[in-house]
């Protein structure tokens, strides 16, 4: 089966609406403080929702159900580490970010160490974020390509252009407030999938519980000391804490959201509450995976899937009708379009352009360069997304692996800067 005309209308209308909504914020962008920090005026609840939406992507929407569909719920051990990591970020890093006027997290490293550690950390951020978010964009395009039969490359281009346009025009305000809207859209989409599944499973929720229990899909804890398993209690807690300290405590992509808050207290409140919501939504997506498994035990697929990540899109296009499939695809798009482009532009301008190229640039020049950098990094992510279609592994694991690979060195620099006052710039730089 394929999508109906009303489904395509829903998807197109959503893309146009979210692009227009994000672009509307262009009228408020007069200075780089507005463009990158929203004049530090964002309330705690918006900080919470934008962090949830930022952390959630199509990797979440299709990758996490695939984890439970093919295995169990041990992924939640990693999510528990995410919550603990947020508390540590609130204690260790957020107080330092609100001492003075910072545009990027890496300026804090220059205060502590000098001029060498900051640009190295900023380069690591720009490279890893380009790769991770390119994979994120590809994952969204993959889902839409499956349900529309449009080639992945063309879907990547359409989504990428929409993302570039509203981020370039509206700045961080567009990113944050579209995140708030999109969080509710994709949660509604996930709930709609769950309700549709329950209505199609003979025996309903009782049958889901029976199948999940008998096949071990409700297992959450794995205490094995096995380095070949991705999700054990030890890997989940240690890896989840370390990854969250890095992504939420040092990575400009998420730190920019915290720097936009009204105060240190509101930044901490929004961050910690976001962990609770993220944990709850992971439970929802894992249950969807179990329900998909139960459904396809009763109505087996006509042919095997090329990869487990395809199971949710296949269900959507084959089973949902009358515009609901279009809404679910729009929800998947909503989970993906939380771009890092503005954060990458802030790093480019604040950490490279102003210190090394044009220290005396006025606001007009800074705004022009900021928008040019937004477009440039958007094109880089488009190239990565097009290339990502040739990789042969789980998109969820690939996205997490990219972020994990290089985040340790930057996190190490921040921890040394915060907890070890005797460590010098030379030692930190060499360690990184």
């Amino acid at each position: 089966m394929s999508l109906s005309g009303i489904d395509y209308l829903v998807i197109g209308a959503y893309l146009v609406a979210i692009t227009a909504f994000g672009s509307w914020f262009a009228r408020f962008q007069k200075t780089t403080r507005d463009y990158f920090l929203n004049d530090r005026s964002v309330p705690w609840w918006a900080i919470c929702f934008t962090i949830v939406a930022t952390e959630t992507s199509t990797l979440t929407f299709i990758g996490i159900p695939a984890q439970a569909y093919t295995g169990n719920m041990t992924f939640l051990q990693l999510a528990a580490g995410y919550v603990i990591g947020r508390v540590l970020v609130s204690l260790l890093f957020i107080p330092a970010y609100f001492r003075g006027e910072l545009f990027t997290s890496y300026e804090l490293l220059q205060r502590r160490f000098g001029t060498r550690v900051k640009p190295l950390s900023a380069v690591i951020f720009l490279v890893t974020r380009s790769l991770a978010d390119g994979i994120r964009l590809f994952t969204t395009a993959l889902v839409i390509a499956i349900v529309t039969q449009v080639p992945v490359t063309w879907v990547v281009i359409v989504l990428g252009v929409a993302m570039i346009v509203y981020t370039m025009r509206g700045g961080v305000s567009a990113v944050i407030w579209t995140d708030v809207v999109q969080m509710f859209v994709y949660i509604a989409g996930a709930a709609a999938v769950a309700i549709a599944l329950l209505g199609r499973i003979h025996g309903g929720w009782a049958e889901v519980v029976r199948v999940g229990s008998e096949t071990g899909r409700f297992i959450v804890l794995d205490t094995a000391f096995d380095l070949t398993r991705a999700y054990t209690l030890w890997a989940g807690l240690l890896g989840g804490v370390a990854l969250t300290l890095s992504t939420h405590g040092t990575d400009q992509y998420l730190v920019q959201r915290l720097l936009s808050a009204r105060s240190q207290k509101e930044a901490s409140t929004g961050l910690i509450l976001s962990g609770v919501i993220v944990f709850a939504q992971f439970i929802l997506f894992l249950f969807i995976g179990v329900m998909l498994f139960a459904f396809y035990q009763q109505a087996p697929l006509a042919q095997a899937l090329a990869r487990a990540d395809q199971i949710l899109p296949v269900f959507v296009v084959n089973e949902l009708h009358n515009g609901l499939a279009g809404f679910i695809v729009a929800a998947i798009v909503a989970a993906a379009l939380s771009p890092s482009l503005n954060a990458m532009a802030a790093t480019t301008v604040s950490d490279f352009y102003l210190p090394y190229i044009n220290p005396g640039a006025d606001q007009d020049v800074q705004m022009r360069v900021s928008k040019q950098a937004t477009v440039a990094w958007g094109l880089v992510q488009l190239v990565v997304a097009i290339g990502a279609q040739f990789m042969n592994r789980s998109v969820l694991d690939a996205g997490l692996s990219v972020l994990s690979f290089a985040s340790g060195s930057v996190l190490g620099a921040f921890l040394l800067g915060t907890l070890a006052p005797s460590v010098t710039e030379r030692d930190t730089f060499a360690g990184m």
Side-chain angles (χ1 to χ4, degrees):
M1 296 184 65
S2 60
L3 297 182
S4 65
I6 190 170
D7 291 318
Y8 286 109
L9 182 62
V10 170
I11 298 168
Y14 180 78
L15 277 173
V16 171
I18 206 66
T19 303
F21 178 65
S23 299
W24 180 76
F25 289 93
R27 68 183 65 190
F28 305 112
Q29 311 305 311
K30 306 301 182 184
T31 67
T32 51
R33 181 183 170 94
D34 300 326
Y35 195 67
F36 293 135
L37 298 179
N38 198 37
D39 200 27
R40 293 187 182 270
S41 62
V42 183
W44 65 267
W45 54 269
I47 294 292
C48 173
F49 294 158
T50 188
I51 291 174
V52 173
T54 299
E55 192 169 353
T56 305
S57 68
T58 309
L59 299 178
T60 306
F61 213 105
I62 70 171
I64 292 181
Q67 293 284 331
Y69 178 79
T70 58
N72 51 42
M73 295 189 175
T74 52
F75 184 85
L76 281 177
Q77 297 166 119
L78 186 65
Y82 289 171
V83 176
I84 298 170
R86 280 168 162 80
V87 175
L88 294 176
V89 169
S90 297
L91 296 174
L92 292 175
F93 296 141
I94 288 181
Y97 286 136
F98 280 83
R99 297 189 197 111
E101 181 80 4
L102 296 181
F103 279 82
T104 74
S105 57
Y106 310 112
E107 291 176 282
L108 190 63
L109 292 177
Q110 181 166 356
R111 283 185 189 175
R112 169 64 176 82
F113 292 115
T115 57
R116 288 193 295 173
V117 171
K118 184 190 78 167
L120 177 58
S121 300
V123 166
I124 290 172
F125 161 69
L126 293 172
V127 172
T128 55
R129 186 50 67 179
S130 294
L131 294 172
D133 284 5
I135 293 172
R136 175 177 175 149
L137 179 59
F138 157 70
T139 308
T140 309
L142 175 65
V143 174
I144 297 176
I146 291 171
V147 300
T148 63
Q149 303 304 307
V150 176
V152 171
T153 299
W154 287 110
V155 179
V156 166
I157 292 172
V158 171
L159 292 179
V161 168
M163 178 179 70
I164 291 170
V165 168
Y166 84 72
T167 307
M168 183 270 293
R169 287 178 53 77
V172 75
S173 299
V175 175
I176 289 175
W177 292 108
T178 53
D179 276 354
V180 171
V181 172
Q182 292 185 144
M183 191 198 80
F184 289 101
V185 172
Y186 77 70
I187 290 294
V193 169
I195 293 169
L197 274 164
L198 282 177
R200 287 163 171 78
I201 296 172
H202 301 301
W205 179 246
E207 178 65 9
V208 173
V209 172
R210 185 191 68 79
V211 171
S213 300
E214 290 181 356
T215 59
R217 277 171 169 73
F218 292 137
I219 294 174
V220 173
L221 295 179
D222 182 351
T223 58
F225 288 93
D226 186 346
L227 296 180
T228 65
R229 298 188 192 180
Y231 305 112
T232 65
L233 180 61
W234 324 109
L237 293 180
L238 295 176
V241 168
L243 187 60
T244 301
L245 282 173
S246 176
T247 55
H248 294 63
T250 70
D251 191 314
Q252 173 64 12
Y253 181 36
L254 277 153
V255 171
Q256 184 184 37
R257 273 72 169 168
L258 302 177
L259 291 173
S260 301
R262 291 172 177 169
S263 66
Q264 174 185 328
K265 181 180 179 181
E266 295 210 29
S268 296
T269 301
L271 177 63
I272 293 173
L273 287 179
S274 73
V276 178
I277 295 176
V278 164
F279 191 89
Q281 78 174 14
F282 283 165
I283 293 174
L284 171 61
F285 284 115
L286 287 167
F287 272 114
I288 288 173
V290 178
M291 286 188 276
L292 285 166
F293 180 80
F295 174 74
Y296 284 112
Q297 293 301 296
Q298 299 177 352
L301 288 165
Q303 60 185 41
L305 299 175
R307 52 198 301 161
D309 304 312
Q310 295 176 333
I311 188 63
L312 180 58
V314 166
F315 172 79
V316 168
V317 74
N318 288 338
E319 301 294 333
L320 304 184
H321 314 290
N322 300 321
L324 183 55
F327 174 69
I328 302 304
V329 174
I332 294 172
V333 172
L337 292 185
S338 178
S340 58
L341 305 182
N342 187 263
M344 297 176 76
T347 299
T348 303
V349 172
S350 298
D351 296 326
F352 294 102
Y353 180 76
L354 289 177
Y356 304 113
I357 299 175
N358 190 1
D362 60 24
Q363 280 297 316
D364 289 339
V365 172
Q366 290 184 45
M367 285 293 289
R368 184 176 70 251
V369 173
S370 299
K371 293 183 177 183
Q372 291 170 346
T374 300
V375 174
W377 287 116
L379 294 175
V380 170
Q381 290 188 15
L382 278 177
V383 172
V384 172
I386 292 171
Q389 62 189 295
F390 302 107
M391 70 182 183
N392 184 26
R393 65 178 301 183
S394 161
V395 290
L396 178 64
D397 289 348
L400 289 173
S401 296
V402 167
L403 290 177
S404 299
F405 182 72
S407 61
S409 60
V410 179
L411 174 58
F414 274 88
L415 289 174
L416 287 174
T418 305
L419 303 175
S422 63
V423 175
T424 66
E425 179 186 19
R426 181 193 64 184
D427 298 336
T428 304
F429 186 81
M432 293 179 70

